[in-house]
Amino acid sequence: MKYGGFFKVADKKQRLNDIDRQLQDSAIWSDVKKTEQLNRERVRLTKDTEEVESLEKQLSSLRELFQLALADDETDMLADIAAETGMITPAVETLNLRRLFSGEHDNGDAFLTVQAGSGGTEAQDWAAMLYRMYWQYCENKGYKTQLMEYAEGEVAGIKSATIKIQGAYVYGNLRCETGVHRLVRKSPFDSNHRRHTSFASVFVYPVIQDDIEVNVNPADLRVDTYRASGAGGQHVNTTDSAVRITHIPSGIVVQCQNDRSQHKNRAEAMSMLRARLYQHEIELRNQEKKTLESSKADITWGQQIRSYVLDQSRIKDLRSGYESGNPRAVLDGDLDGFIRAALLLGNELNS
C-alpha cells in the first residue's frame, strides 16, 4: 500500500511547487508578511511530505524483510520486525490524525485562555492546575509558548491566564479543548477534607494572519492600562504597562502584560482581539448552538466537556467517552488520548 495518496502527498507537493514559483518572483519579496507566511507554509508542507515518504521507505523495507523471514521461518527476525513496526506505529497514527485537520486555521498557531468559574479559591486553584497542564502539554510537544496575561487569585491559583502557542497544527490539536472542565476532589482548602466540585473554562481560538481582514472600529474600544501582576520569573514581567482592551458591542475583553513596552502589549492585545472577533463571527456564521462568549458567561454544569474525579483516579471526556485512570500523567500534560478521541468523534459527526 502506498501511503502518499492516503495522506495527500501529491496535493502537498503541488502546493509546494506553487509556493516555490511565488517565491521565485522578486516582486513578492517586497511584501514581508506574505513572504513569511509562504515560507512558514513551505516548511510545514516539506516536513509533512518528508515524514510520509520516510515512513513509506521504512514500511517497504520491513515488508521485504518480513517476506524473507517468513520464507526462511526466521522467528527471531519476525520478532524484531514486529518490534520495529510497533515503534513506527505512533508516527503513522499522528499522520492519520493530521488528515482530520481540514479547517482553515488547523495548521496554525492558537491562543488558549483558562478562566476560573464561580467558587472562589477552589475554582481558582483548579484554573491554575489546568494552566499548568496545558503549559506542560505544549512543552511535551515542543511548541513555543508565550504568556500573554496572568491574573492571580486572591488566596491561591489564578482568575485567568492566556497563552499564545506556536507550532505545527497547534489549533487543530487544541481546538477540541474548548469548554468547561469539572474537578471533583477532597479539598486541600477544607479543614474537614470534604469533597468539592469546581469548574474552570478553557477557550482556544486561532491566531489569524494579517491578510485576513477584521474591521475594528476604534470607537467601539475601551483601552485601560494597569500594573501587571502574575507568576513572575520567566513567564511574566511586573510592569506598569499592561493593557486591557474591551470591545464594547460584543463584550469581548482581552489583555496583555507580557512585555515591558505598553506599545507592544497594546499591539499584541489587538492581535488577540482580532482573533477573538474573527472566531466569534465564524461561530455566528455557522449558527452554532452557543457562541464563545455565551459559554464563557456560564461556567457550570451545562457546558462540561471533561470530568476529573481525583479521589477515584478517573478522568472522563463526556463527549467521546474516553477515560484515563492516571490523573497525575494527564495533569502533567498527557492529553494525546483525549485529543485523539475528540478529533475522531468530530470527524464522525461531520462525515
Side-chain angles (χ1 to χ4, degrees), residues 272-288:
M272 293 165 64
L273 178 62
R274 291 177 65 249
R276 289 286 294 274
L277 289 172
Y278 180 83
Q279 181 75 358
H280 187 68
E281 178 61 29
I282 291 297
E283 290 175 357
L284 291 175
R285 193 178 303 162
N286 292 337
Q287 296 183 342
E288 293 184 357

Side-chain angles (χ1 to χ4, degrees), residues 19-216:
I19 292 173
D20 286 339
R21 280 196 294 270
Q22 292 184 61
L23 291 175
Q24 288 170 7
D25 184 353
S26 58
I28 200 172
W29 291 96
S30 60
D31 188 340
V32 177
K33 290 180 180 178
K34 180 65 174 177
T35 303
E36 290 177 347
Q37 180 183 345
L38 288 173
N39 277 317
R40 284 196 301 269
E41 186 179 1
R42 189 179 188 282
V43 169
R44 176 179 58 81
L45 291 173
T46 299
K47 183 174 182 291
D48 285 353
T49 55
E50 287 178 349
E51 285 180 352
V52 174
E53 290 173 343
S54 175
L55 281 172
E56 282 190 335
K57 289 179 182 178
Q58 292 179 64
L59 290 169
S60 177
S61 177
L62 287 172
R63 191 180 299 114
E64 292 175 4
L65 288 173
F66 175 76
Q67 295 296 338
L68 290 172
L70 198 62
D72 297 337
D73 197 24
E74 292 282 352
T75 55
D76 289 344
M77 186 181 293
L78 287 171
D80 291 341
I81 293 169
E84 288 190 45
T85 302
M87 290 174 64
I88 65 174
T89 297
V92 176
E93 291 178 349
T94 297
L95 287 171
N96 189 33
L97 277 181
R98 286 185 191 170
R99 295 190 305 114
L100 307 179
F101 299 153
S102 57
E104 182 179 0
H105 303 289
D106 280 355
N107 60 18
D109 305 331
F111 293 109
L112 183 148
T113 296
V114 179
Q115 181 177 351
S118 58
T121 300
E122 285 287 342
Q124 291 168 14
D125 188 56
W126 173 223
M129 292 166 65
L130 286 174
Y131 161 76
R132 178 186 176 277
M133 179 181 77
Y134 287 111
W135 196 281
Q136 289 294 119
Y137 170 82
C138 292
E139 288 193 348
N140 296 343
K141 290 292 183 184
Y143 294 151
K144 179 181 177 182
T145 50
Q146 182 180 8
L147 186 59
M148 308 305 294
E149 63 94 8
Y150 188 100
E152 291 182 316
E154 287 87 354
V155 177
I158 62 172
K159 295 177 181 178
S160 66
T162 298
I163 312 169
K164 183 177 183 179
I165 309 168
Q166 296 173 287
Y169 300 100
V170 168
Y171 181 67
N173 273 304
L174 286 172
R175 57 180 161 82
C176 57
E177 291 298 293
T178 292
V180 173
H181 297 242
R182 169 179 173 251
L183 172 71
V184 180
R185 65 171 174 176
K186 292 179 180 177
S187 171
F189 304 102
D190 186 329
S191 58
N192 295 316
H193 298 292
R194 290 170 295 190
R195 281 177 122 216
H196 284 250
T197 299
S198 306
F199 299 94
S201 62
V202 174
F203 303 92
V204 181
Y205 47 104
V207 176
I208 61 172
Q209 300 300 323
D210 291 335
D211 58 351
I212 296 177
E213 185 175 352
V214 178
N215 293 319
V216 181

Side-chain angles (χ1 to χ4, degrees), residues 289-306:
K289 291 181 179 180
K290 292 190 177 181
T291 64
L292 184 64
E293 290 306 309
S294 66
S295 67
K296 183 175 180 179
D298 184 21
I299 306 176
T300 182
W301 293 86
Q303 304 296 325
Q304 288 181 74
I305 66 165
R306 193 171 300 146

